[in-house]
Amino acid sequence: MWLLVLAYLGGVLTIVSPCILPVLPFVFARTGQPFMKSGLPLLAGMALTFALVASLAAVGGGWVVQVNQYGRWLALLFVALFGLTLLLPRLADRLTRPLVAAGSRLSDAAGADARPRPGASFLIGVATGLLWAPCAGPILGLVLTGAALQGASIGTTLLLLAYAAGAATSLAGALLLGGKVFAAMKRSIGAGEWLRRGLGAAMLAGVAAIALGLDTGILARVSTASTGGIEQALVGRLAGKSPANNGAMMAQVPQSQAGANMMAAGGAMKLSANGPATLPVEGNLPPLEGTVQWLNSPPLDAQALKGKVVLVDFWTYSCINCLRTLPYVKAWAEKYRDQGLVVIGVHAPEFAFERDVGNVTRAMKDLGITYPVAIDNDYRIWRAFNNEYWPAHYFADAQGRIRYHHFGEGDYAESERVIQQLLREAGAAKVADGLINADAQGVQRAPDMNEVRSPETYVGYQRSEHFVPEASLAPDKVAAYSVPSALSLNDWGLNGQWNVGAERATSTAPASGIVYRFHARDLHLVLGPGADGKPVRFKVTIDGKAPGDAHGTDVAPDGSGSVTEQRLYQLLRQPGDVVDRTFSIEFLDPGVSAYAFTFG
């Protein structure tokens, strides 16, 4: 129930988001008409169409995208005609007979006729719904990611309808207020005709903005900054958690965003360092079925885990947050193994290359993971747990009941005390009271979150943000790029020839590069070599110079390095004070694939 409320409130917030600007002229074209017969049908058509298209896009394949693109262009033509009839009422007389009739109906619906037509208004709302692409802030992201992972359902459509209803509510308020202004202007200065023409011009401007991609480009980038904080605070408050960053990455599953029905982090009672507390029962441990393969162990079922305390760790090997929790998980597995603890890693991939069992096996060897790992490429275990995040830790007692969970990094002492308490409840003798102190190095070292002002940034167009110049992005085809000389904080761009796909960008010529203006101690980039597997040499600079002491574990002090496998690469680790800096990487050979930046 609370998720419906959250979706509705997220929709209400779109009125203060610049990404709603391209569709406002279509809504305000109903100004001056009776709300029940004109404005309400338009908003209903807009909300229903958006919910339907978004539902299909969240769970469908590429055909949905193609159909929606044709629908958008048809809708653009429709609303352009509508705008022209508002701006130039005599235009209808110069069109062919069928268009004269259509133009007249549109003109009447726009206000030239005192008899509003609900059907015409609803049709305009349908067209507007096809054009509307709200900024995917935390709330809409939560709704769409749930749809992608859980599959098509009535619940998915209800959530999207709630979001659209929230947007329609705020737009209805603006429309009612605008109607009063319109009526006042007509009475006082007789400006109705000029206002109609102004709305027509605004509609045509909106059509141009959408046709040029500004609705999902520049405006979406501005919107994320303007309302994302408010939405994230709502997510945190309704989920029962602080909005502060705890190092958890909400699932973004390939080809869509994943995760649904967020479990409230911190729902379990806090443990006291001086004694045990009552841990609530959060549910039964789901069966670990549907895996592609088990590594380091035969398949583990309820019988194999009977009487054991179980820690299930959802992770993926290129996730920086997962890598930074691994020293603790490995230490717990070693320390408490003989006392009845079973640690199970569930590897749920984010990127396509993480589905390769060979890649996972190699990563586990490099990371020193010796406990059982289930390869959950189809997200069967993920769904069974109704999970949301990487990393996510679920603690089950000897009776097979989940008693505690934690999302993200941190709170390691509390998690270890949970393990100790569950082992004592299971009857283990001589459970150690001390806590481990993991001395992590390299990419597994804890971040300095006080200095992190740059967000995780995806290079593929499906989830990219802050790419500049936005208009140069050419999805799914080879194009030449150049980075502007001046970048604002968190802006980034490409140099040279790249083919930007949904999940990654692939260089197609030597001397191609990436530039990012960032603020953090550490900078990481998920990279992979070309299809032939040959290493790709690169050169890193920071503020135009070799990194020197600021080089990462995968880079020499002179900035040189090579991409040899598909994984996360630590490129910078700065000593001393952290300030805004410009990172640049040039790939000397073609074929490299870049996936995502992360910071620490």
Side-chain angles (χ1 to χ4, degrees):
M1 180 60 188
W2 69 265
L3 196 55
L4 285 170
V5 175
L6 189 68
Y8 178 82
L9 293 176
V12 171
L13 285 174
T14 59
I15 193 65
V16 296
S17 173
C19 64
I20 201 69
L21 291 178
V23 302
L24 282 180
F26 312 147
V27 175
F28 285 122
R30 321 310 300 150
T31 301
Q33 292 296 303
F35 178 76
M36 295 301 295
K37 294 184 178 181
S38 182
L40 184 60
L42 177 134
L43 294 174
M46 177 179 170
L48 289 172
T49 304
F50 165 73
L52 176 61
V53 172
S55 296
L56 292 174
V59 300
W63 65 273
V64 176
V65 178
Q66 295 298 323
V67 171
N68 188 43
Q69 286 300 317
Y70 292 127
R72 280 172 60 86
W73 284 109
L74 182 62
L76 278 174
L77 290 175
F78 180 81
V79 296
L81 176 62
F82 182 23
L84 286 172
T85 59
L86 285 171
L87 185 63
L88 304 170
R90 296 182 181 179
L91 180 64
D93 297 335
R94 301 178 183 178
L95 302 177
T96 59
R97 189 176 299 275
L99 290 180
V100 168
S104 296
R105 293 190 182 97
L106 288 171
S107 183
D108 291 344
D113 194 328
R115 298 167 299 171
R117 303 174 184 270
S121 293
F122 183 82
L123 187 59
I124 295 168
V126 170
T128 306
L130 287 171
L131 301 177
W132 180 29
C135 300
I139 292 176
L140 184 58
L142 181 65
V143 174
L144 291 177
T145 59
L149 192 59
Q150 301 296 329
S153 68
I154 295 177
T156 293
T157 303
L158 285 176
L159 288 171
L160 289 165
L161 276 173
Y163 186 93
T169 299
S170 54
L171 288 172
L175 187 57
L176 290 170
L177 180 61
K180 294 180 180 179
V181 174
F182 183 87
M185 291 182 67
K186 288 176 70 176
R187 290 194 303 267
S188 60
I189 58 176
E193 184 62 28
W194 284 107
L195 186 57
R196 286 180 67 253
R197 293 184 179 184
L199 287 170
M203 286 190 67
L204 293 177
V207 169
I210 293 173
L212 294 173
L214 299 182
D215 60 326
T216 57
I218 297 173
L219 291 176
R221 290 169 59 202
V222 175
S223 170
T224 299
S226 62
T227 63
I230 302 173
E231 293 192 47
Q232 190 61 58
L234 279 172
V235 171
R237 184 170 296 275
L238 289 178
K241 60 185 287 187
S242 167
N245 186 345
N246 69 337
M249 182 171 64
M250 182 171 282
Q252 306 285 323
V253 175
Q255 307 306 321
S256 58
Q257 281 88 2
N261 300 329
M262 179 168 52
M263 181 184 291
M269 290 181 62
K270 295 288 185 180
L271 292 180
S272 168
N274 299 321
T278 301
L279 294 171
V281 176
E282 300 181 356
N284 293 323
L285 185 70
L288 305 175
E289 298 175 347
T291 62
V292 172
Q293 187 175 337
W294 281 82
L295 302 177
N296 293 341
S297 170
L300 297 177
D301 54 18
Q303 184 62 34
L305 298 174
K306 186 176 180 180
K308 300 289 186 179
V309 173
V310 179
L311 165 56
V312 177
D313 172 25
F314 284 91
W315 72 297
T316 186
Y317 81 82
S318 75
C319 164
I320 185 62
N321 309 107
C322 302
L323 294 175
R324 291 194 292 237
T325 62
L326 276 179
Y328 292 90
V329 176
K330 291 189 298 180
W332 294 334
E334 179 67 23
K335 179 178 179 179
Y336 298 106
R337 179 180 55 207
D338 295 336
Q339 299 172 54
L341 175 68
V342 176
V343 174
I344 300 172
V346 177
H347 188 275
E350 179 181 19
F351 298 114
F353 67 81
E354 292 173 310
R355 294 174 175 270
D356 187 323
V357 177
N359 286 345
V360 180
T361 302
R362 182 166 51 249
M364 288 172 55
K365 181 179 180 182
D366 293 340
L367 294 168
I369 297 174
T370 58
Y371 50 78
V373 171
I375 304 298
D376 193 28
N377 283 354
D378 298 324
Y379 310 101
R380 295 282 296 277
I381 302 177
W382 182 289
R383 290 191 183 97
F385 276 79
N386 200 22
N387 186 47
E388 277 288 324
Y389 298 99
W390 294 292
H393 299 149
Y394 296 88
F395 300 78
D397 62 19
Q399 300 179 52
R401 304 174 301 179
I402 295 177
R403 303 284 298 281
Y404 182 78
H405 67 273
H406 183 269
F407 301 142
E409 303 173 52
D411 289 340
Y412 300 115
E414 182 174 330
S415 294
E416 187 168 2
R417 290 191 185 102
V418 168
I419 294 172
Q420 293 171 352
Q421 179 169 332
L422 295 181
L423 288 172
R424 291 190 182 98
E425 290 181 7
K430 298 181 181 179
V431 177
D433 291 328
L435 303 176
I436 63 107
N437 183 18
D439 183 20
Q441 301 297 324
V443 297
Q444 299 183 50
R445 181 180 172 187
D448 184 359
M449 295 308 299
N450 292 328
E451 292 291 353
V452 177
R453 300 177 190 171
S454 294
E456 181 178 26
T457 301
Y458 292 88
V459 180
Y461 65 78
Q462 187 177 59
R463 289 179 278 170
S464 66
E465 293 182 317
H466 305 289
F467 176 81
V468 292
E470 183 75 26
S472 69
L473 186 60
D476 295 318
K477 64 180 180 181
V478 176
Y481 294 90
S482 60
V483 180
S485 57
L487 294 177
S488 299
L489 180 63
N490 298 327
D491 281 350
W492 66 281
L494 301 172
N495 277 324
Q497 291 189 354
W498 291 85
N499 186 342
V500 181
E503 184 180 81
R504 62 184 179 177
T506 303
S507 68
T508 58
S512 298
I514 309 176
V515 181
Y516 196 123
R517 184 71 173 170
F518 77 105
H519 187 113
R521 185 193 69 192
D522 304 337
L523 181 147
H524 313 93
L525 182 56
V526 178
L527 297 166
D532 57 7
K534 293 182 179 179
V536 176
R537 297 168 298 155
F538 63 75
K539 198 80 170 180
V540 165
T541 62
I542 182 168
D543 292 338
K545 301 177 182 178
D549 292 341
H551 71 93
T553 56
D554 293 299
V555 179
D558 66 355
S560 62
S562 62
V563 179
T564 57
E565 56 187 338
Q566 294 166 315
R567 62 176 175 85
L568 180 143
Y569 289 75
Q570 185 185 81
L571 303 179
L572 294 177
R573 166 159 288 166
Q574 301 182 73
D577 296 336
V578 176
V579 297
D580 293 0
R581 294 189 182 277
T582 299
F583 161 83
S584 178
I585 183 169
E586 180 184 9
F587 298 99
L588 306 182
D589 307 302
V592 74
S593 291
Y595 294 83
F597 285 92
T598 56
F599 302 90

